[in-house]
Amino acid sequence: EAFLERSIPEYAAEHVRAGNWIESESLEKSRKEFEKLLPQGLNSADNFLYTLYDGEEAVGMIWMKIRDHRSKSGFIYDVFIDERFRGKGYGKSLMLLLEEKAREMELNSLELHVFGSNHVARKLYETIDYKVLDESVKPITAVVPVVTVGEDGQSLKTERKKIIAIPYYAWANRGKNEMQVWLPVRINDVKVNY
């Protein structure tokens, strides 16, 4: 349960930073997403959470789900290293250990997404031979109508405002461990509901 106590607020904060969610609704949205992904909590089928220890001390964890049994593909939902242990190679060790587990499960591919602004995570994946699957990913900018409540608390005001959607980067391992690449779906159009 410590995993959920840490992960739900972190996931909410990432979406707020990226501009996907507003802060006042972010925790509830994050809880709902975790409920969908883990309907039976940490005992949900096809989900595997591993904790990395250094001696008796937990230094980090990783969460993977088998997404498709026919294609034997897995998706890494979370990689976490406690702040006290960052920059010491534990993230790399955790990823390589998960790849071993994936091979034992006879998975053919692993995929993960990372916010484009997460430079530390991106550097980690590069050091273990993961490659961005879509290197043409760029922030999407649009001008959309935004409705706000007027100063009187009754009237509505519509303005056109510029928004920027920060992309995720999809990664797959193309290194020496012979994991296959699983390509993501390309986004061709963005629609804003208002």
Side-chain angles (χ1 to χ4, degrees):
E1 299 309 314
F3 162 72
L4 293 174
E5 288 175 20
R6 176 195 57 80
S7 297
I8 290 171
E10 277 187 5
Y11 188 65
E14 285 178 7
H15 276 281
V16 170
R17 274 192 300 276
N20 300 333
W21 296 345
I22 59 172
E23 190 170 356
S24 62
E25 300 171 355
S26 64
L27 273 177
E28 185 59 29
K29 286 185 176 190
S30 184
R31 270 191 206 90
K32 286 181 180 178
E33 293 229 2
F34 273 81
E35 286 170 8
K36 284 183 204 170
L37 292 169
L38 297 166
Q40 281 79 46
L42 302 182
N43 296 318
S44 297
D46 295 329
N47 284 274
F48 301 89
L49 285 90
Y50 300 100
T51 302
L52 180 67
Y53 288 88
D54 186 348
E56 296 291 314
E57 188 140 25
V59 298
M61 61 76 51
I62 195 163
W63 168 24
M64 179 195 68
K65 179 177 183 165
I66 297 176
R67 282 181 120 175
D68 187 339
H69 286 278
R70 284 179 290 138
S71 67
K72 297 186 176 188
S73 63
F75 188 86
I76 301 169
Y77 278 98
D78 194 13
V79 179
F80 172 77
I81 301 296
D82 185 290
E83 283 186 39
R84 297 172 297 142
F85 299 100
R86 291 181 187 166
K88 299 178 181 178
Y90 289 111
K92 180 177 180 178
S93 296
L94 197 55
M95 290 293 293
L96 296 175
L97 288 168
L98 182 70
E99 287 181 8
E100 281 299 314
K101 287 289 186 187
R103 278 192 284 285
E104 288 172 17
M105 293 177 197
E106 299 181 355
L107 295 181
N108 294 323
S109 65
L110 287 173
E111 182 183 293
L112 61 90
H113 291 163
V114 64
F115 283 97
S117 60
N118 190 342
H119 302 290
V120 173
R122 290 173 57 195
K123 179 134 179 86
L124 166 65
Y125 306 135
E126 288 169 2
T127 64
I128 55 175
D129 296 324
Y130 278 57
K131 305 292 181 220
V132 175
L133 295 178
D134 185 355
E135 297 192 55
S136 65
V137 175
K138 293 185 175 82
I140 302 165
T141 305
V143 177
V144 299
V146 175
V147 178
T148 56
V149 178
E151 291 179 21
D152 62 3
Q154 301 286 323
S155 61
L156 297 177
K157 184 170 95 174
T158 303
E159 300 178 80
R160 296 188 66 75
K161 291 196 175 189
K162 180 178 174 182
I163 63 163
I164 299 173
I166 300 172
Y168 286 101
Y169 286 81
W171 298 73
N173 190 304
R174 294 184 180 175
K176 47 196 165 285
N177 68 2
E178 300 178 2
M179 297 292 274
Q180 296 175 5
V181 174
W182 196 48
L183 296 173
V185 175
R186 179 181 288 272
I187 298 172
N188 293 320
D189 189 25
V190 176
K191 293 191 171 119
V192 179
N193 295 321
Y194 56 92

